[in-house]
Amino acid sequence: MRLLFLGDIVGRTGREAVLSRLPALREKLALDLVVVNAENASHGFGLSPAIATSLLQGGVDVLTLGNHAWDRRDLIGHITSEPRIVRPLNYPPGTPGQGSVVVELADGRKVLVVNVMGRLFMDPLDDPFRCMNELLNKHRLGATIQAAIVDVHAEATSEKWAMGHMLDGRVSLVVGTHTHTPTADHRILAGGTAFQTDAGMCGDYDSVIGMTKEPAVTRFVRKMPGERLQPAEGEATICGIMVETEDATGLARRVAPLRQGGLLAQTLPDF
Amino acid sequence: MRLLFLGDIVGRTGREAVLSRLPALREKLALDLVVVNAENASHGFGLSPAIATSLLQGGVDVLTLGNHAWDRRDLIGHITSEPRIVRPLNYPPGTPGQGSVVVELADGRKVLVVNVMGRLFMDPLDDPFRCMNELLNKHRLGATIQAAIVDVHAEATSEKWAMGHMLDGRVSLVVGTHTHTPTADHRILAGGTAFQTDAGMCGDYDSVIGMTKEPAVTRFVRKMPGERLQPAEGEATICGIMVETEDATGLARRVAPLRQGGLLAQTLPDF
Amino acid sequence: MRLLFLGDIVGRTGREAVLSRLPALREKLALDLVVVNAENASHGFGLSPAIATSLLQGGVDVLTLGNHAWDRRDLIGHITSEPRIVRPLNYPPGTPGQGSVVVELADGRKVLVVNVMGRLFMDPLDDPFRCMNELLNKHRLGATIQAAIVDVHAEATSEKWAMGHMLDGRVSLVVGTHTHTPTADHRILAGGTAFQTDAGMCGDYDSVIGMTKEPAVTRFVRKMPGERLQPAEGEATICGIMVETEDATGLARRVAPLRQGGLLAQTLPDF
Amino acid sequence: MRLLFLGDIVGRTGREAVLSRLPALREKLALDLVVVNAENASHGFGLSPAIATSLLQGGVDVLTLGNHAWDRRDLIGHITSEPRIVRPLNYPPGTPGQGSVVVELADGRKVLVVNVMGRLFMDPLDDPFRCMNELLNKHRLGATIQAAIVDVHAEATSEKWAMGHMLDGRVSLVVGTHTHTPTADHRILAGGTAFQTDAGMCGDYDSVIGMTKEPAVTRFVRKMPGERLQPAEGEATICGIMVETEDATGLARRVAPLRQGGLLAQTLPDF
Ligand SMILES: [Fe+2]
Ligand SMILES: [Fe+2]
Ligand SMILES: [Fe+2]
Ligand SMILES: [Fe+2]
Ligand SMILES: [Fe+2]
Ligand SMILES: [Fe+2]
Ligand SMILES: [Fe+2]
Ligand SMILES: [Fe+2]
């Protein structure tokens, strides 16, 4: 199966880049499934129902979230009726929405998509490692599901690597989000799981993690309330990772980063 | 000028990879100066005087540090007599050693090398932005110094990007360390400064940020004291960034990542 | 029922003060049960089996712990066979020992004692609020148990107050530990539960939270490894809170602080 | 000299309690100077110019602040022309307002009042210990100033105790704020400085640190945006500490807590 995951969309420039590039990418790369983290799609903070719908209609199969999940409160009502939007799995029981979804392709193959949040330097949610173990007890890679993608939304590289190794051999891809910076460590782990510490953002990199430079710099230097942070609006780079998996095992055969548009060095999977 | 910066050396495998590869790299890439972060060179924790000496004799011009600066207490006595080892600039006044050094090349050109530490999710040191401003008041890029390299040892991508933009046009390179994960966002900022959020580590990537996998994973899952963390000992990838600067301005002309050996996708600057 | 809770014992001076004063206090105050937090009893770090035994033989009925629970690793083996030592309830499933105990008095009345840890500014354990709700589903105050004491080991006052209110009417006493500073806010909450944000430590207050002053101050000023922290050894103040409950309801009738010995203003319950 | 310090005023109930009680207290306790922390006076968040003025006209001599200093942005313009409002000393150079003030009594005696912020579990400001040392180099207790009051606005008890000991013998009083919980550890340190870890808040204690209970508890249990936090509106307890100093030395002769009104155990200095 051929899977593409794109990291946190930040603001209008990120949305437009994803929507304008995705149709051609789907075709050129023969993608079976596209998952995109959209926790910053609505002006940098959260995901509105309308923008969620436009992304889902524009070629994205599943949207994942993160610590900004509820910045747009109107998503709370919307998420319960839209299973293709996945919020962090390890929110407390009773949280609206779901932490995972099983998507069925047109040909009947099934893909599990999960969003889970780290705790190091973040809000103390339920244990993401235990939650993942419990979830994976309900699915069998290569049997009940043909592929599984885990978006680990976390700050610390150590926690993301640890998650990758704990899930190695049990899912197709473990990919980080949240730092808004693509890492250059895409690889296939010892047990066959594709891994990249962070997918990077889909946004304008002439910024501070997607927000205009000057107010963001000022916040670090002065300790006073400043201008409200706004998404930068230059051309976005869309950033992510592509994986080709073996249906029989659900494990990764090939992995490559994707970076298109904007200021970063360009790269496109060549398989 | 042709500059190479390599990220945190972790343990023996990282040291050996740097020492064995550096002579050929210096020659092949016609390097004028090599700076390496060595805060984890001694079994993952700190830098012993003996290992510092072996690195400085083996082709490294300047060693930088970070939050593990004093894990090896014998470095405290040593650093005061070895200006080529640079500790974070924003430690309190009176801290042994220096936060920067000006290295003079054989041909008389001078390079400022700085190590500065972020504060987000880290120890509350002195303001790294103000310290950098004060330091740069004493040097003039393209005049008193021909190049300047700043190692921002920090956890948060936002703080590293902010530092990059604040220093843009005033130094040759701002490069992050500490996350032990190379980022794929090397570029030249609007003002001419080369930037990469993190250089990545020089160590075994089949690990949790350089340490053996199982005890590190267990720490996240169980909340009890476990085995002592040990550096992983598989083949290291050495990771870093190369910059070519214009002597007249000290700004970056070309920038490229370097990743050699071990498990990561290989890349070598082609200029 | 007449209950006494004493806060974190720090080092030898704290232990000796508790052991020497407890027999007279038990008699004078006609105490039915004495609970003491002992996470720092062994030289400031953890609780050794031998010291646990001496405290349990010396008049303490139940010992509670906290983030220093496993500083003495020999307690890990010991705790599984000693139900009167209670570690934080919200450690992950599979953690040795228990997070609560039901103690039966000589006259058959039963008291639940719980140790639970906050998460704000602390390690991200399981949700202490949910764990408490689950535990209290198994007990009925005024029916299966005649009293219940909850030691909330936490940094933030907000989390401790929130726990007090969430448990108000369902337990006899919610008392905080960990800050090593007695608070002056003992009271009975609206629903009948006695509350005090922190019991304070049993240790030498001419110190920095029980440890000798100079190295502790130096750590804040210099950012280098210093002398190892040692418990201060001046005369200890034992600090805690006494509650008299109604057996039929398990709720609090009277509450008063206790501070005896050492440097703090002395106070003794007068009921 | 007879000094009263009151902790964080929270909302209307706290303001009204301070304003209504202060005239009688000034007379009864023969107070020479009253200092009050007001960082939460305006509906729990910040201090408006109008409320500042009403407090300064109502019997308060100096108002201190904390991490909520700029929640009311209109204070930023006001503070530069009102030296009796003191913001944290260790904000970066260039911050509006002052971190200390020398107040002259009608009889010519002078009192230094300082507000300084801790860094543990808080925003990484400039080093509060170094800032205090620099400030105290400019004043001589018992000579240029007859008394000195330091409000340490900090989360961690360890940092507050460390500040107390570092300043012991150099100021009249070191008192903490920010936790909104009065501590019972008022005492005179070895060198003659009065100390209390936290003054406690002036607000309704049937709350979560001054805010209405239910939304505050819900925030800990559910990880979703909830109702906006509002100050509780029941009768306030005003909480603080009174010190009598020796003019010749500026050191403390007597110290006692004050708690009046509302739900906490009442106490009034008896000297
Ligand atoms: Fe995020
Ligand atoms: Fe994000
Ligand atoms: Fe580091
Ligand atoms: Fe490192
Ligand atoms: Fe403790
Ligand atoms: Fe503790
Ligand atoms: Fe406050
Ligand atoms: Fe505060």
Side-chain angles (χ1 to χ4, degrees), chain D residues 22 39 59 114 124 191 215 240 252:
Chain D
L22 206 46
E39 68 148 8
V114 191

Side-chain angles (χ1 to χ4, degrees), chain A residues 13-36:
Chain A
T13 190
R15 295 188 320 257
E16 290 180 352
V18 168
L19 285 169
S20 67
R21 288 175 183 275
L22 206 47
L25 286 172
R26 279 201 86 117
E27 196 180 320
K28 181 180 173 60
L29 298 173
L31 298 173
D32 293 300
L33 192 86
V34 175
V35 178
V36 183

Side-chain angles (χ1 to χ4, degrees), chain C residues 110-130:
Chain C
K110 288 176 178 162
V111 186
L112 173 70
V113 179
V114 191
N115 185 213
V116 69
M117 213 142 101
R119 299 195 290 185
L120 206 44
F121 312 131
M122 302 189 85
D123 207 22
L125 300 186
D126 290 355
D127 180 351
F129 296 90
R130 196 178 342 138

Side-chain angles (χ1 to χ4, degrees), chain A residues 91-93 119-120 123-127 130, chain C residues 91-93 119-120 123-127 130:
Chain A
Y91 274 133
R119 301 195 290 185
L120 205 45
D123 208 20
L125 302 185
D126 291 356
D127 180 351
R130 198 178 343 140
Chain C
Y91 275 133
R119 299 195 290 185
L120 206 44
D123 207 22
L125 300 186
D126 290 355
D127 180 351
R130 196 178 342 138

Side-chain angles (χ1 to χ4, degrees), chain B residues 8 39-40 153 180:
Chain B
D8 314 44
E39 69 148 6
N40 309 107
H153 196 79
H180 292 201

Side-chain angles (χ1 to χ4, degrees), chain C residues 1-2 30-33 102-112 144-147 245-248:
Chain C
M1 204 181 298
R2 296 170 68 86
L31 299 172
D32 294 300
L33 193 84
V102 175
V103 178
E104 186 165 346
L105 304 188
D107 58 17
R109 288 179 298 171
K110 288 176 178 162
V111 186
L112 173 70
T144 62
I145 51 173
Q146 278 62 55
T245 60
E246 193 76 59
D247 285 345

